[in-house]
Amino acid sequence: MQSLWSQKTPLSSREELKGDISAKNVVIGAGMAGILIAYFLKKRGQEVIVLEAGELASGQTKNTTAKITSQHGLIYKEMIKNTGRLRAEGYARANEEAILAYEKIIEEEQIDCHFERIPSYLYSTREEGRELLKLEEMAALELGIKAHYIEGTEIQELPFQVTGALCFEDQAQFYPLEFISKISEGIQIYEHTKVVSVKKHEIYTEKGKVTAENIIFAAHYPFLIIPGFYFIRQHQSRSYVLALEGKRIPEKLSGMYYGIDDDGLSFRGAGSTLLLGGGSHRTGEERGGFCDLRNRAREYYPHATEIACWSAQDCMPHDRIPFIGQYSIWRPYWYIATGFQKWGMTSSMVAAMVISDAICKRDNPYRQVFTPQRLLIKAGFKNLCTDLIESVVGLAKGWLGPKEKRCTHMGCGLIWNEEEKTWECPCHGSRYDAEGELLDNPARRDMETKHLVGTRKK
Ligand SMILES: Cc1cc2nc3c(=O)[nH]c(=O)nc-3n(C[C@H](O)[C@H](O)[C@H](O)COP(=O)(O)OP(=O)(O)OC[C@H]3O[C@@H](n4cnc5c(N)ncnc54)[C@H](O)[C@@H]3O)c2cc1C
């Protein structure tokens, strides 16, 4: 299950940590967020190293679809209503600036990563979708985004009729590993160096201890339970991607598309390959997945050939705003970048701008927008309730069920995902392979009984 990006761009390997060292800034995690943060710090003359449990970009980043856009689904109307115009404006501007920042870095470093400016569209196939898209257009315009609504008849390159669409102009797409390969060149990264615990300025890895003035958690999902309590502020959701080629696949898509309906799909081109995304579900939930997505692909592109398929997951904060900035008031020298809700390309860039400014003691206009110390109860209340219920049910299943099927994070009952052959935690989204080896945070340890044979949940 290698993504198109992994097939096309092998990344060079780095050494692992040997023994104890110290550094001014230490980033945990070498995904898009961690590498961009390290890149910005280095550009500003700061000493920085990156500790990575696996390999460079081996987490969610290698399995993204890599749209670089401020169009994050239907968000702006709700965001203005729930969090106020100022915060929504800051969110929109930060993400628009992130697109520009990619363009600037790519130009300055002369990176050949298939970066192209291209419009992004939200679409609906339902009558009621028209109204929702028009309201979102008004909200986007109010926040300064170049947006316009168009009737469905103007969209010709999707394999079905849409009722309406909302275009954000001047968005972008690229090949993420080509980009990361180049910007990581001068950065000191230790691969196969998993952080097992962090105490104040000390980071304990499986290979040695690292002492740091500032510590940046860019490990996708923060694996510490206290402080921060991020596990009660977000859940994880999986999505699936198919790379299709052949008959009736458009030669080149002129836009990127994202459906706002419950069964909406994501489309982007990569040369003459079409990347079709969908099948999303909460991690540990038994629906969606490759099977769902393949059925849709067969319906719309019956003669296409699948040349790759992959999946990933992302953190979904209750109030739909990433957590970027100081980790906790109790640890002013720790920083966090998480909760990217499947829009981590621009969010990683925002994280790099905000966190590097904080460390270099510079003002940043977006610090307050993304601060993890915010409390937006109105914006996140419904999602908080859903997550609490999931957690209580998951914990009860874990503690009443067989011990060997418990998540090592908090003891929730694990669900077997037959399609991906993985054990998944529906509470916080940790994943393990069929042999019980940890795949995804926030758990830090393998399953207690390794080599438990995977069986379909009854
Ligand atoms: C299917 C799918 C499609 C997507 N498409 C888009 C898109 O088109 N546009 C967009 O903007 N976003 C998209 N996203 C979201 C985006 O891919 C992610 O938000 C982004 O890649 C997250 O980057 P990251 O650096 O935070 O995490 P990761 O890439 O997961 O990096 C975290 C790193 O930390 C390491 N790590 C974890 N624990 C430890 C530890 N204890 N010690 C050391 N290292 C550790 C991991 O090994 C990993 O390499 C998509 C998401 C999904 C699920």
Side-chain angles (χ1 to χ4, degrees):
M1 269 220 317
Q2 262 201 333
S3 71
L4 189 72
W5 323 123
S6 299
Q7 288 180 15
K8 284 187 184 295
T9 316
L11 298 169
S12 54
S13 55
R14 309 297 183 95
E15 62 179 31
E16 52 187 59
L17 182 70
K18 291 187 187 91
D20 298 350
I21 56 166
S22 65
K24 183 156 188 234
N25 301 289
V26 174
V27 179
I28 304 172
M32 190 59 85
I35 293 300
L36 276 174
I37 293 166
Y39 174 83
F40 270 58
L41 287 171
K42 195 155 187 287
K43 279 272 160 193
R44 289 171 179 190
Q46 295 269 331
E47 183 202 11
V48 59
I49 64 163
V50 181
L51 305 175
E52 166 56 48
E55 286 140 27
L56 174 61
S58 63
Q60 314 309 322
T61 295
K62 71 177 187 313
N63 289 347
T64 181
T65 39
K67 298 174 179 173
I68 307 175
T69 176
S70 62
Q71 189 181 61
H72 296 174
L74 278 184
I75 53 162
Y76 290 113
K77 181 182 157 284
E78 282 297 302
M79 201 180 280
I80 294 172
K81 189 174 118 207
N82 292 331
T83 72
R85 198 192 134 166
L86 263 185
R87 191 182 290 268
E89 195 172 71
Y91 184 98
R93 281 202 358 235
N95 281 284
E96 283 282 319
E97 261 181 44
I99 307 173
L100 267 174
Y102 272 106
E103 192 165 43
K104 192 163 163 264
I105 293 173
I106 288 164
E107 224 173 84
E108 276 175 11
E109 305 277 354
Q110 300 188 352
I111 308 176
D112 184 7
C113 60
H114 294 82
F115 177 88
E116 52 182 327
R117 286 283 195 168
I118 185 168
S120 183
Y121 298 88
L122 292 179
Y123 72 84
S124 174
T125 56
R126 307 203 176 132
E127 271 314 307
E128 62 271 24
R130 281 200 170 98
E131 192 52 29
L132 292 173
L133 291 165
K134 284 179 189 166
L135 290 170
E136 186 71 359
E137 178 201 25
M138 277 164 54
L141 287 171
E142 191 185 329
L143 302 177
I145 295 173
K146 286 189 273 173
H148 61 272
Y149 173 82
I150 54 175
E151 278 303 319
T153 45
E154 290 181 49
I155 303 284
Q156 306 282 329
E157 54 188 5
L158 293 186
F160 42 70
Q161 187 61 53
V162 310
T163 50
L166 176 61
C167 173
F168 279 20
E169 295 159 23
D170 274 342
Q171 308 296 295
Q173 61 184 19
F174 71 158
Y175 286 20
L177 299 191
E178 289 178 349
F179 174 79
I180 228 168
S181 162
K182 179 76 185 174
I183 62 159
S184 62
E185 266 173 12
I187 299 172
Q188 179 77 56
I189 303 167
Y190 293 100
E191 291 187 336
H192 303 290
T193 302
K194 182 174 173 180
V195 174
V196 286
S197 71
V198 185
K199 292 197 178 96
K200 297 193 173 168
H201 290 280
E202 290 174 349
I203 303 165
Y204 296 89
T205 80
E206 290 168 334
K207 309 280 160 66
K209 184 175 87 175
V210 186
T211 312
E213 198 173 299
N214 301 303
I215 301 170
I216 302 109
F217 291 77
H220 189 242
Y221 196 120
F223 47 81
L224 297 182
I225 293 177
I226 302 171
F229 300 98
Y230 289 97
F231 69 97
I232 41 174
R233 305 172 77 185
Q234 58 183 3
H235 71 269
Q236 299 203 61
S237 169
R238 290 193 75 66
S239 286
Y240 300 79
V241 185
L242 302 180
L244 303 173
E245 283 183 358
K247 260 193 186 167
R248 301 239 179 98
I249 297 292
E251 193 54 40
K252 184 174 182 345
L253 273 190
S254 66
M256 308 179 285
Y257 297 88
Y258 185 81
I260 62 161
D261 308 322
D262 296 344
D263 58 351
L265 296 169
S266 157
F267 296 79
R268 76 154 273 192
S272 58
T273 308
L274 172 74
L275 305 189
L276 182 72
S280 302
H281 61 86
R282 184 188 180 102
T283 304
E285 209 177 48
E286 292 180 298
R287 64 185 183 94
F290 282 120
C291 179
D292 218 42
L293 188 58
R294 286 200 176 103
N295 287 339
R296 305 287 297 283
R298 268 194 292 274
E299 182 184 347
Y300 300 129
Y301 304 106
H303 305 293
T305 309
E306 184 183 307
I307 60 152
C309 69
W310 63 92
S311 61
Q313 64 185 32
D314 215 352
C315 305
M316 316 300 279
H318 298 150
D319 57 13
R320 300 189 67 185
I321 298 175
F323 299 108
I324 295 171
Q326 196 183 79
Y327 193 103
S328 152
I329 53 165
W330 308 111
R331 296 282 183 276
Y333 44 89
W334 287 9
Y335 298 87
I336 178 80
T338 188
F340 294 165
Q341 50 191 341
K342 302 184 189 173
W343 298 109
M345 298 299 104
T346 50
S347 304
S348 291
M349 188 62 85
V350 173
M353 300 190 290
V354 170
I355 292 174
S356 62
D357 276 348
I359 288 174
C360 298
K361 310 268 182 273
R362 292 190 198 179
D363 276 347
N364 185 290
Y366 308 119
R367 191 172 60 88
Q368 280 305 327
V369 175
F370 297 94
T371 175
Q373 279 71 52
R374 66 184 182 260
L375 200 58
L376 297 170
I377 293 177
K378 187 174 157 201
F381 189 68
K382 199 171 146 228
N383 293 331
L384 170 69
C385 294
T386 312
D387 279 1
L388 281 178
I389 293 168
E390 287 287 346
S391 296
V392 170
V393 173
L395 276 167
K397 276 189 186 155
W399 290 102
L400 297 174
K403 188 165 173 269
E404 65 274 17
K405 286 186 192 167
R406 277 185 210 157
C407 181
T408 58
H409 176 228
M410 296 184 79
C412 295
L414 295 168
I415 306 282
W416 175 245
N417 178 336
E418 175 65 23
E419 207 174 43
E420 297 203 73
K421 305 275 183 268
T422 48
W423 291 100
E424 299 181 354
C425 171
C427 305
H428 310 109
S430 301
R431 293 171 70 244
Y432 307 80
D433 71 12
E435 267 96 49
E437 214 170 289
L438 183 67
L439 296 173
D440 284 308
N441 292 345
R444 275 180 279 176
R445 285 182 289 116
D446 296 338
M447 277 168 71
E448 277 177 23
T449 308
K450 286 187 79 179
H451 308 292
L452 180 70
V453 179
T455 48
R456 183 182 272 284
K457 185 189 152 231
K458 298 279 182 298

